[in-house]
Amino acid sequence: MAYLTSHFLVFTTGSDTLKSIPLKSIVYEGKESVEAYTSFMGRNPKVKFHVRKSDPVAIVKSGQHTSTSFLDVIDGVIVVKSDLQKTILEKLTQALERKEWKNDDSETSKKRPDEGFKASGAGIGGIIRRKKEKQSVASKQIDEAFDGDLESLMRNAKNVITLATKCKAKLSREDGGGEVDELSKMLEGMGIVGGVTKDSAGDNYTSQLAREINDWLIPTLHNKSKTSSTPIINVTDVYVMYNRARGVDFISPKDLIMGLEHAEKMFKGFKRKDFMGVKCVVGKQFREDIVASKILNWVEESGKTVDFLSKNLGVNEVMGKCIVEEVEGGGKLVRDEGVEGTKFFKNEFDRFFEQAGIKA
Amino acid sequence: MSDFEFPEYYSFPPFFTIQPVSATRQKQLALWRDLILKYHTANKEKTLVVHDCTLWKNEGIQRELNRDNVRLICEDFVNNGNGEWEDEAKTRIRIMWKKPEELAGDLLAWADRSGFKGQVCTLYELSSGEDSEGASFEGADEELIRRALAILEERGQVAIFKGDTSEEDGVKFF
């Protein structure tokens, strides 16, 4: 029988003797060092180890007899007549490669020699000093850990993008069909898009950025209009969402404004709009009159808050407020500032005005 | 209170919030002027006391004009020629049930209809006399009637004679 630990190979020979070979004594240089072979007649499978001469082979005896017939030390080569199974051999090779015993050595060597007594280490002052030292070491370690993590994260993100871009390129060369779309969709879903950068695009930065923004914005707006909400996003949100989609190499707000401006002119797939001073982009599907008539429908029965209207329009409240106020500005809505907050009503003043028969 | 029938818009909550949109606000203010006039005319009230006017609050829909908005509506009412401040502190408004020009027209038409053309009648008779029952200026503020008459006098359509008291001033329609 043979047992393997991370440090020793142990044989039992017969019932009462243990022989152990420390793994660090085995000269391991590739597979040659540990060989299993069978003798001429195919019997008595043997395993051969090369062992450093200097290291003594421990032979643990239990009981009285030692059988040396299993173990011959010949010129630093140990031949074990054993039927070590293949699996054990594999494990042995792995263990030899891992060299666990080395870790032990380094750990023991790390042990600090005892610091002698110093006057500065004595008393409460000393305790405080030691505490402070410990703290500063700890915070330094934390800082390093964070820095390291972030750096490696960014490095990895870049690698993934390079890989993804390669995949994309390869796929598009090969069939250029739906698979590319699928992959890019998948990547975009993971928030990975190889963004246009000033480095990569050079003088074409503006136009390439515009194209990229357009390619991302149009489907985004389109999706919004599909999910019952209004295809409108304010530019601050566009900035956040777009940079998130890029993943790395964020662009500046200035670049985004510029990119949007160009993309609108170049592709005409969306429109930039100013709602009460809030910059937005709206999809082609966006029509103010339809939005207005939707709102008027909702306030037909009773006054509604901006909150309610925003939710029904599927936009955030800032955006909702802008839209509602725009419609109000067009004279279609009126407001009621009551104790429960501001509610918007259909503008009935025109009708009342005519009813009262007032001469304007 | 009176049997004054409040118009529909008096129960429209946004009526009590001054609208930020100019075009809408103009209509809203016009409705307020109309309401104030109609209410006071119907109740034969000649004066609006700013801090004590039932119109500012509609209990039915729990809406109330705030102080600033009351001020705004009153100023608009006066600026539009529907009333006049009675005091410097602007606490009371003399309601002009009709603008003097309109009232002048009414007076002439009334004189025509009731055969007062070429006749003389006193100011008192105009505002409180039997003959003026049902006329638009019945119970009207004396000052208002005087102003309407002044317009007519300028056009040469009436002549005014001084009486012993201001109420006894006479008017002759031509």
Side-chain angles (χ1 to χ4, degrees):
Chain A
M1 286 288 262
Y3 303 96
L4 178 73
T5 71
S6 56
H7 294 64
F8 291 98
L9 183 63
V10 183
F11 298 94
T12 57
T13 59
S15 57
D16 43 11
T17 314
L18 287 174
K19 294 182 178 67
S20 73
I21 307 169
L23 295 186
K24 65 175 170 181
S25 314
I26 295 172
V27 181
Y28 176 73
E29 288 155 355
K31 285 207 171 132
E32 304 298 303
S33 312
V34 182
E35 304 171 69
Y37 60 91
T38 51
S39 65
F40 177 64
M41 296 301 284
R43 292 151 79 193
N44 295 334
K46 285 168 190 155
V47 178
K48 201 165 91 187
F49 302 98
H50 296 258
V51 181
R52 277 192 209 98
K53 263 187 191 165
S54 55
D55 291 337
V57 174
I59 297 174
V60 183
K61 288 181 220 169
S62 81
Q64 296 187 333
H65 16 216
T66 338
S67 165
T68 47
S69 67
F70 273 80
L71 196 73
D72 300 311
V73 183
I74 310 159
D75 220 4
V77 177
I78 299 174
V79 179
V80 182
K81 278 195 263 171
S82 160
D83 41 6
L84 281 179
Q85 281 119 350
K86 267 247 150 114
T87 48
I88 289 246
L89 261 184
E90 273 168 26
K91 291 262 158 71
L92 178 62
T93 321
Q94 281 172 11
L96 285 170
E97 274 174 5
R98 227 185 288 152
K99 298 191 195 330
E100 288 273 345
W101 58 89
K102 279 206 169 165
N103 292 345
D104 295 352
D105 292 349
S106 59
E107 240 163 62
T108 45
S109 68
K110 254 189 203 165
K111 257 187 194 166
R112 263 189 281 171
D114 266 3
E115 281 169 25
F117 176 78
K118 280 181 203 157
S120 63
I124 292 177
I127 295 172
I128 293 174
R129 196 167 304 123
R130 275 199 293 282
K131 274 258 176 215
K132 273 189 182 163
E133 264 167 33
K134 263 190 190 169
Q135 269 174 4
S136 73
V137 168
S139 68
K140 205 179 154 195
Q141 274 172 345
I142 290 173
D143 283 352
E144 277 170 3
F146 269 111
D147 279 357
D149 276 2
L150 257 185
E151 260 169 37
S152 68
L153 187 70
M154 292 315 284
R155 237 190 345 263
N156 288 338
K158 277 197 176 165
N159 287 342
V160 173
I161 288 170
T162 330
L163 185 72
T165 324
K166 266 188 204 157
C167 283
K168 240 167 147 179
K170 191 156 187 242
L171 273 176
S172 60
R173 261 207 309 281
E174 275 170 8
D175 66 355
E179 254 180 283
V180 183
D181 288 346
E182 214 171 287
L183 178 74
S184 53
K185 244 183 227 164
M186 223 168 65
L187 288 172
E188 270 163 28
M190 277 157 47
I192 294 172
V193 176
V196 173
T197 61
K198 275 181 183 152
D199 292 339
S200 71
D203 291 345
N204 294 328
Y205 179 62
T206 310
S207 61
Q208 282 194 20
L209 183 68
R211 181 178 298 275
E212 189 181 281
I213 291 174
N214 192 68
D215 287 352
W216 167 84
L217 187 58
I218 299 296
T220 308
L221 284 169
H222 190 69
N223 282 345
K224 258 188 140 290
S225 69
K226 262 199 287 191
T227 56
S228 84
S229 54
T230 316
I232 179 166
I233 315 175
N234 50 343
V235 171
T236 28
D237 281 355
V238 171
Y239 179 71
V240 175
M241 290 159 78
Y242 175 67
N243 266 337
R244 199 195 128 128
R246 280 175 74 103
V248 288
D249 294 327
F250 295 167
I251 64 166
S252 69
K254 211 173 138 195
D255 282 1
L256 178 73
I257 300 287
M258 183 192 72
L260 284 174
E261 217 171 284
H262 281 263
E264 185 191 10
K265 269 185 226 150
M266 278 161 70
F267 307 105
K268 301 189 179 6
F270 64 91
K271 266 182 264 170
R272 290 177 306 136
K273 257 190 87 63
D274 231 30
F275 271 105
M276 310 299 288
V278 176
K279 284 189 167 62
C280 311
V281 289
V282 296
K284 260 190 172 171
Q285 313 88 338
F286 179 84
R287 279 183 52 194
E288 258 170 275
D289 50 339
I290 290 178
V291 173
S293 67
K294 268 189 194 172
I295 293 176
L296 286 177
N297 224 2
W298 290 322
V299 299
E300 183 74 50
E301 294 285 304
S302 62
K304 294 289 186 314
T305 59
V306 167
D307 184 47
F308 174 93
L309 295 172
S310 308
K311 273 190 190 125
N312 280 280
L313 285 172
V315 297
N316 65 37
E317 207 160 322
V318 178
M319 215 51 259
K321 188 164 180 275
C322 293
I323 295 177
V324 169
E325 283 180 359
E326 182 91 4
V327 179
E328 183 193 25
K332 287 182 180 141
L333 288 176
V334 288
R335 61 175 66 199
D336 161 40
E337 279 157 9
V339 272
E340 315 115 56
T342 305
K343 284 184 176 173
F344 285 87
F345 286 72
K346 189 177 167 193
N347 185 359
E348 302 267 26
F349 285 133
D350 289 337
R351 186 166 65 82
F352 295 141
F353 197 75
E354 268 166 38
Q355 262 178 15
I358 301 169
K359 282 160 250 156
Chain B
M1 210 59 232
S2 67
D3 51 0
F4 177 72
E5 199 190 322
F6 281 100
E8 188 187 346
Y9 58 80
Y10 193 59
S11 301
F12 186 52
F15 187 55
F16 290 84
T17 299
I18 295 300
Q19 298 301 316
V21 178
S22 169
T24 312
R25 186 171 60 241
Q26 293 315 319
K27 294 226 162 88
Q28 182 189 21
L29 290 174
L31 287 170
W32 267 109
R33 293 197 297 268
D34 191 53
L35 175 67
I36 295 170
L37 266 185
K38 282 190 176 142
Y39 177 82
H40 285 85
T41 316
N43 289 317
K44 298 280 172 210
E45 284 180 30
K46 296 171 195 169
T47 316
L48 182 156
V49 182
V50 174
H51 68 268
D52 181 32
C53 178
T54 50
L55 286 177
W56 307 150
K57 187 172 187 176
N58 184 351
E59 294 279 6
I61 55 164
Q62 302 209 331
R63 288 294 184 280
E64 191 176 359
L65 283 176
N66 66 34
R67 205 196 267 262
D68 289 345
N69 289 347
V70 167
R71 179 60 57 190
L72 185 88
I73 286 169
C74 289
E75 291 283 356
D76 170 75
F77 186 77
V78 171
N79 290 343
N80 213 55
N82 293 106
E84 274 182 343
W85 293 112
E86 281 189 0
D87 51 351
E88 292 259 316
K90 299 189 174 178
T91 57
R92 299 159 67 84
I93 296 174
R94 180 186 301 120
I95 307 273
M96 315 251 206
W97 295 357
K98 294 223 160 185
K99 289 188 183 174
E101 299 80 26
E102 290 175 280
L103 198 62
D106 284 358
L107 282 168
L108 269 189
W110 168 82
D112 226 9
R113 207 169 50 240
S114 40
F116 271 93
K117 274 245 160 130
Q119 305 264 344
V120 177
C121 62
T122 62
L123 230 61
Y124 177 79
E125 281 173 318
L126 279 181
S127 66
S128 317
E130 282 173 22
D131 293 310
S132 64
E133 239 179 64
S136 67
F137 46 88
E138 186 202 348
D141 189 73
E142 191 195 309
E143 177 63 27
L144 182 59
I145 294 179
R146 262 180 205 287
R147 246 187 262 169
L149 290 175
I151 292 171
L152 292 177
E153 192 178 26
E154 216 163 89
R155 289 192 209 145
Q157 286 167 311
V158 294
I160 299 174
F161 313 100
K162 286 277 177 205
D164 291 340
T165 63
S166 66
E167 280 194 342
E168 283 173 24
D169 280 357
V171 181
K172 185 172 184 186
F173 289 92
F174 297 121

